[in-house]
Structure formats: structure tokens, C-alpha cells
Amino acid sequence: MNHGLHAEMESAVAAVIGDMREAVTQLAAALAAERSALEQADAEALHLAGTAKQAQMERLEQLDGERVQLLRAIAAPAPAQSAAWSEVVAALADCQRANQYNGQVVGQRLRQVRQALSVLTGGSESTLYGPAGTLRTDHRQQSLAEA
């Protein structure tokens, strides 16, 4: 590969990593919006945040494919590209932690809803859904007036 083409490929790698950095920043914003929507129990905001999060994840996946292809064409990335990539990886790790936290909040809310359903139906949590995840109708149903 001639020097001019190699420099052009390195420039392309740097541009892709820069685009990834921007996508990670937008992903972090979507995760923060998701956390806020969860805290406020705002279903519409949660939907919008989830859509934005999914879009950024797809964008990152596409950009990473481009990055990998470009890096195959140039034997070794420049030190500046390696440092920029390390920053992207660190930011992605932060996003992963934020996403896990949001998942824990969702899990907690789901447990609370299941407990409330259990109280309302007079059954135990485990009798509401069968092993296949389908609603079981054989649990005891009492209206609150009978209790």
C-alpha cells in the first residue's frame, strides 16, 4: 500500500472513531433520559429514550464494522487512534453501567407490580404466571369486597 493511501485509510479510521465517540455521547444521553423517565414513571419519555438508545446502538455496531474493516487494511493503527479508541471503550463501559442500573430499576418495578397483582388477586406471585410465561387462570380470585 502506498503512503498516500495508507494516510487516507488512517484518516478514515480516525473519522470513524470520532463518529463512534459522538454516538457514545448520544447513547449516554439516551441512557440518562431513560433513567429520568423511569424515575418519573413517564411512559412516553421512556419509549423515546428506548428508541434513541436502540438507534445509537445500531449506529455504533455499524461504525464498529467499518472500523474493523479499515484496521484490517492498515496493519497497525496510529498511537493517536489507539488512544481515541481507548476513550471510546471507556465511555462504552460507562454506558454499560448506566444501562445495567436502568435494568435494575426496571426489575425492581416489575417485582413491585407483581407483588401488587398478587395482593389484588389473592394469590401468590408464583401462581400468576406458569413456567412458559403464560398467565395461569387457576389461581384463587377474590374480589376485595370478599376479603
Side-chain angles (χ1 to χ4, degrees):
M1 176 181 315
N2 69 33
H3 181 67
L5 181 58
H6 190 272
E8 205 172 300
M9 297 286 272
E10 282 186 357
S11 178
V13 170
V16 167
I17 291 173
D19 290 346
M20 290 183 82
R21 184 181 295 139
E22 177 60 31
V24 170
T25 299
Q26 292 176 8
L27 176 60
L31 288 163
E34 182 180 61
R35 180 177 47 234
S36 176
L38 286 167
E39 289 169 353
Q40 297 173 10
D42 185 340
E44 181 62 27
L46 185 59
H47 174 71
L48 292 173
T51 301
K53 180 172 78 170
Q54 184 64 34
Q56 292 312 312
M57 291 298 297
E58 290 170 4
R59 177 85 173 123
L60 282 164
E61 193 171 322
Q62 181 252 338
L63 287 168
D64 192 48
E66 289 178 27
R67 181 189 67 83
V68 168
Q69 285 181 344
L70 287 167
L71 286 175
R72 283 185 187 145
I74 59 174
Q81 293 168 348
S82 294
W85 176 244
S86 293
E87 291 173 14
V88 169
V89 170
L92 282 170
D94 291 340
C95 287
Q96 181 182 26
R97 284 187 288 279
N99 193 52
Q100 288 172 339
Y101 175 81
N102 290 352
Q104 290 171 346
V105 171
V106 169
Q108 180 182 12
R109 297 274 168 84
L110 182 58
R111 284 188 299 279
Q112 291 169 345
V113 167
R114 285 183 177 159
Q115 288 172 347
L117 284 172
S118 175
V119 168
L120 291 173
T121 61
S124 68
E125 255 183 84
S126 62
T127 60
L128 289 178
Y129 293 94
T134 57
L135 184 62
R136 290 178 47 183
T137 57
D138 63 340
H139 63 279
R140 185 180 76 165
Q141 293 184 356
Q142 277 186 333
S143 68
L144 291 177
E146 293 175 1

